[in-house]
Amino acid sequence: MTSSELWTSATADRYDAEESEMSSTAVLGPTLAFLAELAGEGRALEFAIGTGRVGVPLREHGVPVVGIELSEHMAAVLRRKTDEDVLPVAIGDMATTVVPGEFTLVYLVYNTITNLLTQDEQVECFRNAARHLAPGGRFVIELGVPPLRFLPPGQVAVPFDVSEGHLGFDTFDLVEQILVSHHVTRDGGDGRYRRDSSRHRYAWPAELDLMARIAGLELEQRVADWDGAPFTQDSAKHISVWRKPA
């Protein structure tokens, strides 16, 4: 078991509703096109597949998909959408769980590598990806750039969402590279709010490149979004692609 925090049944049941924007055509269209092109005629493996936000439509897009998921509750929500023989899911952590066969694509989206709270575990995640890849296969990560430029001396939090139904902000431990994501969410129509938080280990693109080298992978591409916009010093996130040598 890794240090990743487990999703509860209640959190899993409301996940899709709270992340409806991330499931929109505007978001998923470019994501699926990007991943499907890299998968080619082969199979794809999704680390931390969750409720299948990406994996299910990618399978419907014609790419055979297998998933690994730590939370049985999240996997249970996915299972309501598609059968095991259509999209198999292994319950386990993404750093050490091994599934049969080789894949042309392993991918990890929406900042999820930060759920691994130590550098060693993140390195093992890269090694696990390399273990599953066929020669010439790719490992893809979608990850935000740590927003430390918004953290002047004396400030302890960076807001990322201030809206009518939700307040979100991150606090940082700069020594351990741990951020805590805090959420205050309107819960129903009676004026009540629900407070949640989760811990994450942030990492810079250069640190990920070193993890990839340790795992025997080579950086092939880094862009700012799924549409392929150039990655610059002002980019809020990156899509990085590492290749296993043929």
Side-chain angles (χ1 to χ4, degrees), residues 118-132:
T118 71
Q119 186 183 68
D120 286 345
E121 290 176 352
Q122 291 179 354
V123 169
E124 288 306 313
C125 181
F126 272 82
R127 284 177 166 155
N128 200 30
R131 182 181 298 125
H132 285 92

Side-chain angles (χ1 to χ4, degrees), residues 133-195:
L133 285 173
R138 276 91 169 193
F139 182 35
V140 177
I141 286 182
E142 175 189 21
L143 183 60
V145 176
L148 300 189
R149 294 170 67 185
F150 299 101
L151 194 66
Q155 182 172 313
V156 298
V158 173
F160 58 84
D161 184 33
V162 180
S163 58
E164 182 178 352
H166 178 255
L167 171 64
F169 60 94
D170 293 329
T171 55
F172 295 85
D173 179 336
L174 301 181
V175 174
E176 299 295 332
Q177 287 186 214
I178 296 292
L179 72 82
V180 181
S181 185
H182 304 265
H183 302 266
V184 181
T185 308
R186 187 187 296 274
D187 197 4
D190 56 3
R192 293 182 302 167
Y193 284 80
R194 182 184 72 255
R195 180 174 180 177

Side-chain angles (χ1 to χ4, degrees), residues 53-122:
R53 178 184 67 88
V54 174
V56 171
L58 185 61
R59 180 66 186 87
E60 295 169 349
H61 208 68
V63 178
V65 177
V66 177
I68 294 174
E69 172 56 43
L70 183 61
S71 169
E72 294 186 30
H73 300 297
M74 294 288 276
V77 175
L78 181 152
R79 196 50 65 220
R80 299 171 197 162
K81 304 173 183 178
T82 188
D83 294 333
E84 174 73 17
D85 58 346
V86 175
L87 201 166
V89 176
I91 301 300
D93 68 84
M94 57 187 164
T96 63
T97 301
V98 177
V99 298
E102 286 188 326
F103 299 83
T104 56
L105 173 67
V106 178
Y107 66 95
L108 181 54
V109 297
Y110 203 17
N111 304 320
T112 311
I113 193 171
T114 67
N115 289 359
L116 298 169
L117 299 178
T118 71
Q119 186 183 68
D120 286 345
E121 290 176 352
Q122 291 179 354

